[in-house]
Tab-separated table of all heavy atoms in Angstrom:
chain	number	residue	atom	x	y	z
T	6	GLU	N	-31.795	14.443	-50.964
T	6	GLU	CA	-30.761	14.411	-51.990
T	6	GLU	C	-29.618	13.377	-51.574
T	6	GLU	O	-29.318	12.495	-52.247
T	6	GLU	CB	-30.164	15.778	-52.236
T	6	GLU	CG	-31.170	16.665	-52.979
T	6	GLU	CD	-30.542	17.959	-53.480
T	6	GLU	OE1	-29.658	17.870	-54.294
T	6	GLU	OE2	-30.960	19.060	-53.073
T	7	SER	N	-28.986	13.673	-50.426
T	7	SER	CA	-27.887	12.823	-49.995
T	7	SER	C	-26.939	12.554	-51.143
T	7	SER	O	-26.532	13.485	-51.835
T	7	SER	CB	-28.377	11.540	-49.346
T	7	SER	OG	-29.041	10.711	-50.286
T	8	ASN	N	-26.609	11.304	-51.409
T	8	ASN	CA	-25.694	10.995	-52.517
T	8	ASN	C	-26.427	10.371	-53.697
T	8	ASN	O	-25.761	9.835	-54.596
T	8	ASN	CB	-24.622	10.063	-52.056
T	8	ASN	CG	-23.707	10.685	-51.041
T	8	ASN	OD1	-23.316	11.834	-51.174
T	8	ASN	ND2	-23.326	9.948	-50.010
T	9	LEU	N	-27.768	10.414	-53.674
T	9	LEU	CA	-28.551	9.701	-54.672
T	9	LEU	C	-28.357	10.292	-56.059
T	9	LEU	O	-28.286	9.557	-57.029
T	9	LEU	CB	-30.022	9.748	-54.264
T	9	LEU	CG	-30.963	8.913	-55.200
T	9	LEU	CD1	-30.538	7.466	-55.294
T	9	LEU	CD2	-32.409	9.000	-54.694
T	10	GLY	N	-28.236	11.611	-56.128
T	10	GLY	CA	-28.043	12.205	-57.473
T	10	GLY	C	-26.777	11.757	-58.135
T	10	GLY	O	-26.744	11.462	-59.309
T	11	GLY	N	-25.680	11.669	-57.354
T	11	GLY	CA	-24.395	11.230	-57.874
T	11	GLY	C	-24.472	9.736	-58.273
T	11	GLY	O	-23.892	9.374	-59.286
T	12	TRP	N	-25.178	8.970	-57.476
T	12	TRP	CA	-25.340	7.562	-57.802
T	12	TRP	C	-26.118	7.383	-59.113
T	12	TRP	O	-25.746	6.539	-59.972
T	12	TRP	CB	-26.034	6.835	-56.632
T	12	TRP	CG	-26.277	5.367	-56.874
T	12	TRP	CD1	-25.316	4.371	-56.870
T	12	TRP	CD2	-27.479	4.700	-57.141
T	12	TRP	NE1	-25.903	3.174	-57.073
T	12	TRP	CE2	-27.223	3.356	-57.293
T	12	TRP	CE3	-28.801	5.142	-57.250
T	12	TRP	CZ2	-28.242	2.391	-57.550
T	12	TRP	CZ3	-29.824	4.246	-57.542
T	12	TRP	CH2	-29.516	2.869	-57.688
T	13	LEU	N	-27.139	8.205	-59.266
T	13	LEU	CA	-27.936	8.064	-60.499
T	13	LEU	C	-27.088	8.424	-61.760
T	13	LEU	O	-27.329	7.869	-62.830
T	13	LEU	CB	-29.174	8.971	-60.434
T	13	LEU	CG	-30.268	8.523	-59.506
T	13	LEU	CD1	-31.352	9.566	-59.379
T	13	LEU	CD2	-30.871	7.216	-60.013
T	14	SER	N	-26.169	9.339	-61.581
T	14	SER	CA	-25.344	9.694	-62.714
T	14	SER	C	-24.386	8.630	-63.183
T	14	SER	O	-23.864	8.651	-64.274
T	14	SER	CB	-24.526	10.993	-62.427
T	14	SER	OG	-23.607	10.733	-61.428
T	15	ARG	N	-24.140	7.616	-62.294
T	15	ARG	CA	-23.252	6.469	-62.617
T	15	ARG	C	-23.959	5.227	-62.751
T	15	ARG	O	-23.400	4.118	-62.835
T	15	ARG	CB	-22.224	6.363	-61.505
T	15	ARG	CG	-21.350	7.584	-61.221
T	15	ARG	CD	-20.269	7.305	-60.182
T	15	ARG	NE	-20.844	6.858	-58.932
T	15	ARG	CZ	-21.135	7.720	-57.945
T	15	ARG	NH1	-21.021	9.025	-58.085
T	15	ARG	NH2	-21.675	7.261	-56.768
T	16	LEU	N	-25.313	5.296	-62.823
T	16	LEU	CA	-26.131	4.083	-62.781
T	16	LEU	C	-25.890	3.160	-63.917
T	16	LEU	O	-25.718	3.602	-65.064
T	16	LEU	CB	-27.619	4.537	-62.770
T	16	LEU	CG	-28.662	3.447	-62.413
T	16	LEU	CD1	-28.499	3.021	-60.936
T	16	LEU	CD2	-30.047	4.053	-62.619
T	17	ASN	N	-25.977	1.872	-63.703
T	17	ASN	CA	-26.007	0.845	-64.766
T	17	ASN	C	-26.874	-0.321	-64.308
T	17	ASN	O	-27.437	-0.309	-63.223
T	17	ASN	CB	-24.564	0.351	-65.112
T	17	ASN	CG	-23.846	-0.238	-63.899
T	17	ASN	OD1	-24.459	-0.912	-63.053
T	17	ASN	ND2	-22.560	-0.035	-63.823
T	18	ASN	N	-27.040	-1.327	-65.165
T	18	ASN	CA	-27.921	-2.444	-64.849
T	18	ASN	C	-27.529	-3.175	-63.622
T	18	ASN	O	-28.369	-3.600	-62.817
T	18	ASN	CB	-27.959	-3.443	-66.042
T	18	ASN	CG	-28.740	-2.901	-67.205
T	18	ASN	OD1	-29.167	-1.714	-67.217
T	18	ASN	ND2	-28.996	-3.713	-68.222
T	19	ALA	N	-26.226	-3.301	-63.388
T	19	ALA	CA	-25.753	-4.054	-62.203
T	19	ALA	C	-26.179	-3.307	-60.895
T	19	ALA	O	-26.515	-3.927	-59.904
T	19	ALA	CB	-24.262	-4.217	-62.248
T	20	ASP	N	-26.238	-1.950	-60.944
T	20	ASP	CA	-26.683	-1.176	-59.833
T	20	ASP	C	-28.141	-1.491	-59.517
T	20	ASP	O	-28.545	-1.655	-58.378
T	20	ASP	CB	-26.490	0.338	-60.041
T	20	ASP	CG	-25.035	0.707	-60.080
T	20	ASP	OD1	-24.292	0.360	-59.152
T	20	ASP	OD2	-24.664	1.421	-60.988
T	21	LEU	N	-28.885	-1.578	-60.574
T	21	LEU	CA	-30.366	-1.841	-60.381
T	21	LEU	C	-30.570	-3.187	-59.809
T	21	LEU	O	-31.397	-3.389	-58.926
T	21	LEU	CB	-31.079	-1.714	-61.692
T	21	LEU	CG	-31.053	-0.281	-62.376
T	21	LEU	CD1	-31.744	-0.346	-63.731
T	21	LEU	CD2	-31.738	0.705	-61.492
T	22	VAL	N	-29.762	-4.174	-60.259
T	22	VAL	CA	-29.916	-5.541	-59.711
T	22	VAL	C	-29.511	-5.575	-58.312
T	22	VAL	O	-30.157	-6.289	-57.480
T	22	VAL	CB	-29.057	-6.538	-60.562
T	22	VAL	CG1	-28.883	-7.836	-59.829
T	22	VAL	CG2	-29.707	-6.697	-61.879
T	23	SER	N	-28.469	-4.833	-57.923
T	23	SER	CA	-28.008	-4.859	-56.516
T	23	SER	C	-29.105	-4.340	-55.601
T	23	SER	O	-29.212	-4.778	-54.440
T	23	SER	CB	-26.701	-4.094	-56.347
T	23	SER	OG	-26.876	-2.697	-56.609
T	24	VAL	N	-29.868	-3.346	-56.038
T	24	VAL	CA	-30.963	-2.854	-55.272
T	24	VAL	C	-32.109	-3.838	-55.282
T	24	VAL	O	-32.704	-4.079	-54.202
T	24	VAL	CB	-31.452	-1.474	-55.857
T	24	VAL	CG1	-32.763	-1.043	-55.145
T	24	VAL	CG2	-30.373	-0.409	-55.717
T	25	ALA	N	-32.440	-4.431	-56.428
T	25	ALA	CA	-33.564	-5.361	-56.542
T	25	ALA	C	-33.276	-6.574	-55.674
T	25	ALA	O	-34.268	-7.214	-55.168
T	25	ALA	CB	-33.740	-5.742	-57.986
T	26	THR	N	-32.009	-6.984	-55.475
T	26	THR	CA	-31.760	-8.148	-54.704
T	26	THR	C	-32.333	-8.017	-53.277
T	26	THR	O	-32.805	-9.007	-52.708
T	26	THR	CB	-30.170	-8.366	-54.547
T	26	THR	OG1	-29.672	-8.625	-55.882
T	26	THR	CG2	-29.831	-9.553	-53.662
T	27	TYR	N	-32.341	-6.843	-52.739
T	27	TYR	CA	-32.797	-6.633	-51.373
T	27	TYR	C	-34.187	-5.979	-51.328
T	27	TYR	O	-34.818	-5.959	-50.245
T	27	TYR	CB	-31.815	-5.750	-50.601
T	27	TYR	CG	-30.484	-6.377	-50.373
T	27	TYR	CD1	-29.441	-6.160	-51.250
T	27	TYR	CD2	-30.297	-7.335	-49.406
T	27	TYR	CE1	-28.218	-6.837	-51.123
T	27	TYR	CE2	-29.087	-7.975	-49.212
T	27	TYR	CZ	-28.020	-7.729	-50.105
T	27	TYR	OH	-26.835	-8.379	-49.929
T	28	SER	N	-34.693	-5.497	-52.406
T	28	SER	CA	-36.013	-4.813	-52.346
T	28	SER	C	-37.089	-5.494	-53.242
T	28	SER	O	-38.274	-5.210	-53.063
T	28	SER	CB	-35.869	-3.355	-52.767
T	28	SER	OG	-35.419	-3.301	-54.156
T	29	ASP	N	-36.732	-6.409	-54.150
T	29	ASP	CA	-37.718	-6.905	-55.045
T	29	ASP	C	-38.877	-7.679	-54.381
T	29	ASP	O	-39.984	-7.548	-54.810
T	29	ASP	CB	-36.962	-7.942	-55.980
T	29	ASP	CG	-37.511	-7.936	-57.387
T	29	ASP	OD1	-38.118	-6.916	-57.768
T	29	ASP	OD2	-37.338	-8.939	-58.093
T	30	LEU	N	-38.581	-8.314	-53.301
T	30	LEU	CA	-39.629	-9.158	-52.664
T	30	LEU	C	-40.291	-8.461	-51.475
T	30	LEU	O	-41.055	-9.077	-50.815
T	30	LEU	CB	-39.000	-10.509	-52.203
T	30	LEU	CG	-38.617	-11.430	-53.359
T	30	LEU	CD1	-37.974	-12.666	-52.826
T	30	LEU	CD2	-39.796	-11.772	-54.235
T	31	VAL	N	-39.930	-7.179	-51.248
T	31	VAL	CA	-40.562	-6.469	-50.111
T	31	VAL	C	-42.045	-6.455	-50.157
T	31	VAL	O	-42.712	-6.856	-49.153
T	31	VAL	CB	-39.962	-5.077	-49.967
T	31	VAL	CG1	-40.781	-4.227	-48.928
T	31	VAL	CG2	-38.520	-5.117	-49.512
T	32	PRO	N	-42.682	-6.134	-51.282
T	32	PRO	CA	-44.141	-6.238	-51.325
T	32	PRO	C	-44.737	-7.547	-51.010
T	32	PRO	O	-45.750	-7.669	-50.311
T	32	PRO	CB	-44.471	-5.740	-52.766
T	32	PRO	CG	-43.310	-4.950	-53.190
T	32	PRO	CD	-42.132	-5.616	-52.538
T	33	ALA	N	-44.055	-8.590	-51.472
T	33	ALA	CA	-44.568	-9.943	-51.215
T	33	ALA	C	-44.453	-10.262	-49.718
T	33	ALA	O	-45.403	-10.933	-49.169
T	33	ALA	CB	-43.733	-10.971	-52.004
T	34	PHE	N	-43.375	-9.851	-49.105
T	34	PHE	CA	-43.249	-10.193	-47.657
T	34	PHE	C	-44.125	-9.333	-46.803
T	34	PHE	O	-44.610	-9.790	-45.757
T	34	PHE	CB	-41.778	-10.047	-47.241
T	34	PHE	CG	-40.914	-11.178	-47.663
T	34	PHE	CD1	-39.946	-11.030	-48.639
T	34	PHE	CD2	-41.130	-12.466	-47.135
T	34	PHE	CE1	-39.166	-12.096	-49.006
T	34	PHE	CE2	-40.357	-13.533	-47.518
T	34	PHE	CZ	-39.367	-13.369	-48.477
T	35	LEU	N	-44.441	-8.089	-47.265
T	35	LEU	CA	-45.413	-7.286	-46.558
T	35	LEU	C	-46.785	-7.921	-46.585
T	35	LEU	O	-47.597	-7.970	-45.612
T	35	LEU	CB	-45.448	-5.848	-47.135
T	35	LEU	CG	-44.256	-4.995	-46.806
T	35	LEU	CD1	-44.380	-3.673	-47.573
T	35	LEU	CD2	-44.150	-4.730	-45.323
T	36	ALA	N	-47.150	-8.450	-47.746
T	36	ALA	CA	-48.409	-9.140	-47.917
T	36	ALA	C	-48.441	-10.404	-47.044
T	36	ALA	O	-49.492	-10.761	-46.448
T	36	ALA	CB	-48.636	-9.512	-49.420
T	37	LEU	N	-47.310	-11.109	-46.983
T	37	LEU	CA	-47.229	-12.314	-46.133
T	37	LEU	C	-47.394	-11.966	-44.677
T	37	LEU	O	-48.074	-12.697	-43.919
T	37	LEU	CB	-45.882	-12.985	-46.353
T	37	LEU	CG	-45.638	-14.291	-45.600
T	37	LEU	CD1	-46.685	-15.329	-45.948
T	37	LEU	CD2	-44.238	-14.831	-45.891
T	38	LEU	N	-46.796	-10.832	-44.222
T	38	LEU	CA	-46.971	-10.381	-42.817
T	38	LEU	C	-48.386	-10.039	-42.552
T	38	LEU	O	-48.927	-10.344	-41.502
T	38	LEU	CB	-46.024	-9.188	-42.625
T	38	LEU	CG	-46.100	-8.573	-41.181
T	38	LEU	CD1	-45.678	-9.522	-40.159
T	38	LEU	CD2	-45.230	-7.263	-41.133
T	39	GLU	N	-49.069	-9.402	-43.555
T	39	GLU	CA	-50.478	-9.093	-43.345
T	39	GLU	C	-51.330	-10.389	-43.266
T	39	GLU	O	-52.263	-10.463	-42.400
T	39	GLU	CB	-50.944	-8.250	-44.556
T	39	GLU	CG	-52.430	-7.720	-44.378
T	39	GLU	CD	-52.831	-6.791	-45.534
T	39	GLU	OE1	-51.936	-6.344	-46.233
T	39	GLU	OE2	-54.019	-6.529	-45.605
T	40	ARG	N	-51.033	-11.363	-44.060
T	40	ARG	CA	-51.750	-12.647	-43.973
T	40	ARG	C	-51.495	-13.320	-42.640
T	40	ARG	O	-52.329	-14.115	-42.178
T	40	ARG	CB	-51.355	-13.600	-45.100
T	40	ARG	CG	-51.804	-13.111	-46.515
T	40	ARG	CD	-51.794	-14.229	-47.511
T	40	ARG	NE	-50.469	-14.830	-47.712
T	40	ARG	CZ	-49.637	-14.355	-48.614
T	40	ARG	NH1	-49.899	-13.306	-49.339
T	40	ARG	NH2	-48.440	-14.977	-48.764
T	41	SER	N	-50.360	-13.009	-42.039
T	41	SER	CA	-50.047	-13.601	-40.664
T	41	SER	C	-50.569	-12.722	-39.584
T	41	SER	O	-50.308	-13.026	-38.415
T	41	SER	CB	-48.526	-13.721	-40.518
T	41	SER	OG	-47.916	-14.485	-41.531
T	42	ALA	N	-51.429	-11.762	-39.934
T	42	ALA	CA	-52.101	-10.881	-38.949
T	42	ALA	C	-51.133	-10.113	-38.064
T	42	ALA	O	-51.416	-9.898	-36.906
T	42	ALA	CB	-53.136	-11.650	-38.172
T	43	GLY	N	-49.967	-9.852	-38.598
T	43	GLY	CA	-48.929	-9.105	-37.835
T	43	GLY	C	-48.289	-9.991	-36.739
T	43	GLY	O	-47.434	-9.411	-35.943
T	44	ASP	N	-48.532	-11.262	-36.699
T	44	ASP	CA	-47.900	-12.169	-35.750
T	44	ASP	C	-46.501	-12.496	-36.268
T	44	ASP	O	-46.341	-13.315	-37.156
T	44	ASP	CB	-48.788	-13.405	-35.600
T	44	ASP	CG	-48.252	-14.348	-34.508
T	44	ASP	OD1	-47.040	-14.350	-34.265
T	44	ASP	OD2	-49.097	-15.081	-33.909
T	45	LEU	N	-45.507	-11.891	-35.634
T	45	LEU	CA	-44.110	-12.071	-36.151
T	45	LEU	C	-43.602	-13.540	-36.039
T	45	LEU	O	-43.058	-14.031	-37.002
T	45	LEU	CB	-43.161	-11.130	-35.441
T	45	LEU	CG	-43.306	-9.643	-35.823
T	45	LEU	CD1	-42.467	-8.786	-34.975
T	45	LEU	CD2	-42.958	-9.429	-37.266
T	46	PRO	N	-43.791	-14.222	-34.920
T	46	PRO	CA	-43.358	-15.634	-34.909
T	46	PRO	C	-44.046	-16.474	-36.000
T	46	PRO	O	-43.398	-17.337	-36.646
T	46	PRO	CB	-43.739	-16.134	-33.499
T	46	PRO	CG	-43.699	-14.880	-32.654
T	46	PRO	CD	-44.201	-13.787	-33.601
T	47	ALA	N	-45.287	-16.233	-36.260
T	47	ALA	CA	-45.970	-16.986	-37.358
T	47	ALA	C	-45.434	-16.590	-38.709
T	47	ALA	O	-45.249	-17.422	-39.583
T	47	ALA	CB	-47.499	-16.724	-37.250
T	48	PHE	N	-45.156	-15.284	-38.868
T	48	PHE	CA	-44.519	-14.826	-40.114
T	48	PHE	C	-43.135	-15.443	-40.322
T	48	PHE	O	-42.860	-15.908	-41.358
T	48	PHE	CB	-44.351	-13.278	-40.022
T	48	PHE	CG	-43.580	-12.713	-41.139
T	48	PHE	CD1	-44.084	-12.592	-42.450
T	48	PHE	CD2	-42.260	-12.164	-40.879
T	48	PHE	CE1	-43.324	-12.017	-43.437
T	48	PHE	CE2	-41.583	-11.631	-41.888
T	48	PHE	CZ	-42.097	-11.506	-43.221
T	49	TYR	N	-42.326	-15.551	-39.303
T	49	TYR	CA	-40.970	-16.158	-39.426
T	49	TYR	C	-41.075	-17.631	-39.778
T	49	TYR	O	-40.334	-18.156	-40.591
T	49	TYR	CB	-40.176	-15.972	-38.132
T	49	TYR	CG	-39.941	-14.569	-37.688
T	49	TYR	CD1	-39.878	-14.202	-36.363
T	49	TYR	CD2	-39.743	-13.559	-38.630
T	49	TYR	CE1	-39.655	-12.927	-36.024
T	49	TYR	CE2	-39.547	-12.248	-38.285
T	49	TYR	CZ	-39.462	-11.928	-36.953
T	49	TYR	OH	-39.243	-10.621	-36.562
T	50	ALA	N	-42.096	-18.302	-39.166
T	50	ALA	CA	-42.263	-19.695	-39.434
T	50	ALA	C	-42.636	-19.967	-40.864
T	50	ALA	O	-42.168	-20.900	-41.571
T	50	ALA	CB	-43.301	-20.299	-38.484
T	51	GLU	N	-43.491	-19.051	-41.403
T	51	GLU	CA	-43.924	-19.201	-42.804
T	51	GLU	C	-42.774	-18.904	-43.737
T	51	GLU	O	-42.563	-19.569	-44.746
T	51	GLU	CB	-45.093	-18.233	-43.095
T	51	GLU	CG	-45.635	-18.308	-44.493
T	51	GLU	CD	-46.189	-19.683	-44.905
T	51	GLU	OE1	-46.346	-20.586	-44.025
T	51	GLU	OE2	-46.531	-19.854	-46.088
């Protein structure tokens, strides 16, 4: 629960965008890390 319930009660589009700014590309970067075989220096270079 934490404070998420209160946050949801005040939610608007800008809140969604602020979350998406940092989470939207997470699946893509996870896939990129997998393509780099978990090699972090290679991942950073890409």
Side-chain angles (χ1 to χ4, degrees):
E6 290 191 63
S7 63
N8 295 320
L9 186 56
W12 180 72
L13 287 172
S14 68
R15 303 185 299 271
L16 193 66
N17 59 35
N18 286 9
D20 291 312
L21 297 177
V22 167
S23 67
V24 173
T26 296
Y27 294 97
S28 62
D29 214 22
L30 293 176
V31 168
F34 283 112
L35 288 175
L37 182 60
L38 179 61
E39 186 176 348
R40 292 200 299 273
S41 302
D44 185 330
L45 288 174
F48 170 74
Y49 299 147
E51 181 63 7

